Amino acid sequence: MRLPVLLVDDHRVLVDSLALSLELQPDLCCAAVAYTARDGLAKAAAIPYAVAVVDLQLPDAGGLDVVARLRAMRPDAPIVVLTAHPKADLADRALAAGAAAFLGKDLPLTEILTVIRSADPARPQVVAGLRQPPVGLTHRELDVLRELGQGHDATRAAATLGISLHTARGHIKAVLAKLGVQTQLDAVVSAERLGLITVGSRY
Amino acid sequence: MRAVIVRCAAVAVVLALLVSVGVRRLSDRDAGHLARGVAAALLTPMASQDFRQPGGIDRVGLLRHLQPFLADGVVKRVKVLAVRGDRATVVFSDEPRTEGLVEHPSSGTASVPGDENHRYERSLAGATREVFFAFQDARGNATQLELYVPVDATVTGWVAVVVVAMLLVLPVALLGTRQARRDPGPTRRDLARRLHDDVLPELAGARMLVDNLRNAGEADLARAGVTRGELADRLHAILTGEIGQIRALLSELVPPEPAGDHLPAHFADLVARLRPDGPSPAITTAVPALPELPAALAPVLLSVGGELVRNAIHHAGAGTIRLVVEVCASSVRLTVTDDGTGFDPSAVAPAGHVGLRLIRGLVREHGGVLRFGHDQGTTVTVTFPLRPRYSYKM
Ligand SMILES: Nc1ncnc2c1ncn2[C@@H]1O[C@H](COP(=O)(O)OP(=O)(O)OP(=O)(O)O)[C@@H](O)[C@H]1O
Ligand SMILES: [Mg+2]
């Protein structure tokens, strides 16, 4: 019995290569490929699979949401997060959302396959070498910071994150204080330098 | 590049000083002035879009350009109109619900109509005026940029516009329209993002295929229904795409030819852009190609020359304006002469009129000297030393 794997990732070259790689394994196969969160959730509901591989950066939704929803839909199927942004806080949150593993996209194929075979939320696996951030920002503060890093203002950040403007402003203040800077622009610049966020990206 | 940043910073400082001059209400006329500052920053990215094509618009990129102005409230709404005859259809806006609505093409400054097609503007706080700028999109189609500016904006707001405009356009626009119309070139961050988001994952995918080529047994291939030849073909396709991407990055990266070579063309473009309709004033230029000109000086000369010619057109009531660039032994000199009214350059310009102050700062920062003369009209001479005492870096 080959282990059917669901792939949810909008990076076609990578995900198509991974799909083919699964097909070439004696013990694995590709259950389905989805390039969007929506399609991924629809296929998850319709097609049997044993393991899901999910990218964090999807065009239509945050990957963390997809992880949580897949987990709720199919608690028995472990989820492997495969991301181009292996950051410590994202790993924590992915595991908190129910992922069984958190891997960087540049990991060798054999290691990715090994993790897929052995994925188990009871024994979470996280890619080696994630630097713990030098500044202790809360997840929400990082969320707000990532919004600023995409050029959004407090109002827009509040709307996207579903929090009040007042709360968003509070987070921004806290971020400025913790990073020891005066302006939002400086906060974004120094957060990127510290490897906390990737400017222009959601993660 | 460093010089550009220093220059922008200097401009920002000059403008910050202006804020301390006082916060004043802007007149309606100033709404146009304010909008021009914003338009200067927006038209370059706008003109590289194909607005008639649903997929021809980089919405995210455009919104990123609008964002600082909207956030500061110096512009309340931005629309791009595709003009066909007397119909102007909204093809892009920060308020997507207005897209598809039809307006009348207009020009200059106007009050916001109360019609149904402006229903989304009714909720904008405060008094607002529409200001229109005509331009051609990437396909050469007639297009208008429509900015909704508050008329009760303060001088602080205006200063914010100019600061942002300077930061955004100086490095690009100063090189003249030829280069400005081309893509401004990727920033380090763009490059990093493209390498990270596109090139790296594709290479990771390619490496997977190589692993498969090496490790897959005949039984695996038969079961998966692929041959090694097909695997190799897929790999080939990925690598071909990769080569294309990297070539594209490279061609954007390689620095443009020294701007001094193209100085005559840049100045010709500049004057063509500034020249008002109608016969007067007559504007003539004498500009040689200067291959040895330090890279950072070309944009400075264009910027200073542009402001001086603009002033002569708008304020001097001149019949003729002449712009000359010459190289003497160890300096380069720009002279703009008009036969107009003349003025007292030591008088303090009214609040919000910053052209001369900006170029004074720019000239000083590049080790240059600016002199005014006035017999019959105005003569402004700007001289920059060409000695290596000043190191110019772009
Ligand atoms: N060539 C000229 N002939 C006559 N008057 C001039 C000339 N150049 C400048 N001035 C006067 O000096 C003032 C200040 O010029 P400056 O360039 O600083 O501001 P502006 O042109 O009015 O506004 P801005 O440049 O900010 O759009 C002008 O308002 C005008 O009265
Ligand atoms: Mg002026």
Side-chain angles (χ1 to χ4, degrees):
Chain A
M1 176 62 191
R2 298 161 75 198
L3 209 59
V5 182
L6 169 70
L7 301 177
V8 188
D9 188 334
D10 73 329
H11 205 292
R12 293 184 185 232
V13 170
L14 183 93
V15 77
D16 291 348
S17 299
L18 184 54
L20 181 61
S21 308
L22 293 170
E23 289 297 324
L24 287 165
Q25 304 306 308
D27 56 336
L28 300 171
C29 65
C30 176
V33 174
Y35 302 120
T36 63
R38 212 174 135 166
D39 190 29
L41 291 167
K43 286 184 168 148
I47 299 170
Y49 66 95
V51 182
V53 175
V54 178
D55 183 11
L56 283 188
Q57 190 149 16
L58 294 167
D60 54 340
L64 292 173
D65 289 342
V66 176
V67 170
R69 294 182 59 183
L70 287 178
R71 189 83 189 127
M73 280 165 69
R74 291 281 315 275
D76 56 314
I79 301 160
V80 174
V81 169
L82 190 61
T83 177
H85 303 276
K87 301 214 158 74
D89 75 296
L90 297 174
D92 293 347
R93 295 155 93 168
L95 299 192
F102 183 88
L103 307 178
K105 280 190 175 172
D106 48 4
L107 221 58
L109 177 63
T110 49
E111 292 182 35
I112 296 176
L113 295 175
T114 305
V115 173
I116 291 176
R117 290 185 179 105
S118 63
D120 177 359
R123 286 181 298 106
Q125 310 180 57
V126 172
V127 61
L130 287 188
R131 228 167 12 112
Q132 276 309 316
V135 184
L137 297 182
T138 66
H139 292 166
R140 258 318 185 211
E141 287 164 1
L142 283 164
D143 284 340
V144 172
L145 198 47
R146 288 188 176 116
E147 285 290 311
L148 299 182
Q150 292 171 77
H152 301 162
D153 64 356
T155 317
R156 170 88 182 269
T160 318
L161 299 172
I163 57 181
S164 76
L165 180 57
H166 182 74
T167 312
R169 291 224 174 96
H171 288 313
I172 293 175
K173 249 197 205 141
V175 167
L176 297 189
K178 287 184 185 176
L179 293 173
V181 295
Q182 306 293 329
T183 68
Q184 300 186 12
L185 185 64
D186 286 335
V188 168
V189 170
S190 77
E192 179 168 61
R193 209 171 285 146
L194 293 171
L196 298 173
I197 65 168
T198 307
V199 168
S201 139
R202 272 190 281 146
Y203 293 102
Chain B
M1 203 59 213
R2 195 174 312 153
V4 176
I5 294 167
V6 171
R7 190 166 64 223
C8 291
V11 169
V13 170
V14 172
L15 289 163
L17 283 176
L18 280 171
V19 180
S20 63
V21 169
V23 175
R24 235 154 282 193
R25 303 248 139 191
L26 284 186
S27 69
D28 192 31
R29 189 186 68 101
D30 288 322
H33 206 126
L34 186 149
R36 270 199 298 284
V38 179
L42 295 181
L43 284 174
T44 302
M46 293 279 175
S48 63
Q49 314 286 321
D50 178 359
F51 285 102
R52 303 283 159 106
Q53 210 60 42
I57 312 178
D58 172 14
R59 308 187 63 91
V60 177
L62 285 182
L63 286 171
R64 202 179 317 124
H65 277 101
L66 306 184
Q67 178 54 34
F69 300 111
L70 293 165
D72 278 342
V74 291
V75 184
K76 300 279 190 175
R77 168 115 328 131
V78 178
K79 292 178 183 170
V80 176
L81 308 169
V83 182
R84 288 185 194 85
D86 62 350
R87 283 169 66 86
T89 313
V90 181
V91 285
F92 170 82
S93 173
D94 61 298
E95 168 53 86
R97 287 177 297 177
T98 65
E99 288 173 19
L101 297 180
V102 177
E103 307 189 357
H104 291 295
S106 185
S107 64
T109 306
S111 52
V112 181
D115 63 359
E116 199 38 24
N117 284 352
H118 286 83
R119 56 183 177 272
Y120 297 110
E121 281 68 52
R122 276 182 218 145
S123 58
L124 299 179
T128 309
R129 304 280 281 169
E130 306 177 327
V131 189
F132 294 84
F133 299 89
F135 69 100
Q136 297 189 340
D137 75 358
R139 282 294 165 91
N141 288 315
T143 315
Q144 290 195 338
L145 173 65
E146 183 182 11
L147 301 175
Y148 291 74
V149 273
V151 281
D152 56 356
T154 58
V155 173
T156 324
W158 191 84
V159 167
V161 179
V162 183
V163 172
V164 181
M166 289 292 166
L167 291 172
L168 290 177
V169 268
L170 258 189
V172 186
L174 295 189
L175 281 174
T177 42
R178 288 217 176 165
Q179 265 151 334
R181 253 185 234 133
R182 249 199 270 140
D183 196 76
T187 63
R188 287 170 64 135
R189 177 158 291 141
D190 287 339
L191 276 180
R193 192 189 52 71
R194 282 161 63 181
L195 286 172
H196 178 269
D197 290 1
D198 299 333
V199 177
L200 271 187
E202 286 179 20
L203 285 176
R207 189 176 58 180
M208 286 180 184
L209 294 181
V210 173
D211 286 344
N212 288 320
L213 269 174
R214 194 183 49 203
N215 298 339
E218 297 310 325
D220 298 326
L221 291 166
R223 194 184 51 243
V226 283
T227 64
R228 272 184 221 282
E230 284 163 357
L231 277 180
D233 286 347
R234 284 175 80 153
L235 182 59
H236 188 273
I238 296 177
L239 293 178
T240 305
E242 222 50 45
I243 290 170
Q245 289 227 34
I246 291 175
R247 271 201 196 295
L249 280 176
L250 277 178
S251 57
E252 289 175 51
L253 258 184
V254 171
E257 291 169 68
D261 278 343
H262 303 293
L263 214 55
H266 287 322
F267 270 101
D269 281 349
L270 178 74
V271 169
R273 233 181 328 138
L274 296 177
R275 196 190 298 277
D277 299 335
S280 178
I283 308 176
T284 57
T285 59
V287 180
L290 299 175
E292 302 297 318
L293 190 72
L297 266 190
V300 175
L301 287 176
L302 279 161
S303 177
V304 172
E307 177 56 23
L308 292 175
V309 171
R310 209 178 349 253
N311 279 350
I313 292 171
H314 291 304
H315 308 303
T320 60
I321 300 171
R322 182 157 177 79
L323 179 150
V324 179
V325 177
E326 316 156 272
V327 171
C328 320
S330 60
S331 61
V332 56
R333 186 166 69 204
L334 165 81
T335 311
V336 175
T337 314
D338 69 62
D339 60 357
T341 56
F343 76 110
D344 174 10
S346 62
V348 177
H353 294 250
V354 294
L356 285 178
R357 295 181 71 157
L358 291 181
I359 63 170
R360 277 201 180 98
L362 200 58
V363 169
R364 197 174 326 120
E365 197 208 319
H366 287 267
V369 181
L370 187 137
R371 279 195 206 87
F372 291 91
H374 15 232
D375 44 350
Q376 294 180 342
T378 304
T379 300
V380 189
T381 315
V382 184
T383 314
F384 294 98
L386 287 177
R387 278 280 147 76
R389 178 154 80 90
Y390 302 90
S391 67
Y392 294 98
K393 294 205 184 85
M394 271 300 262

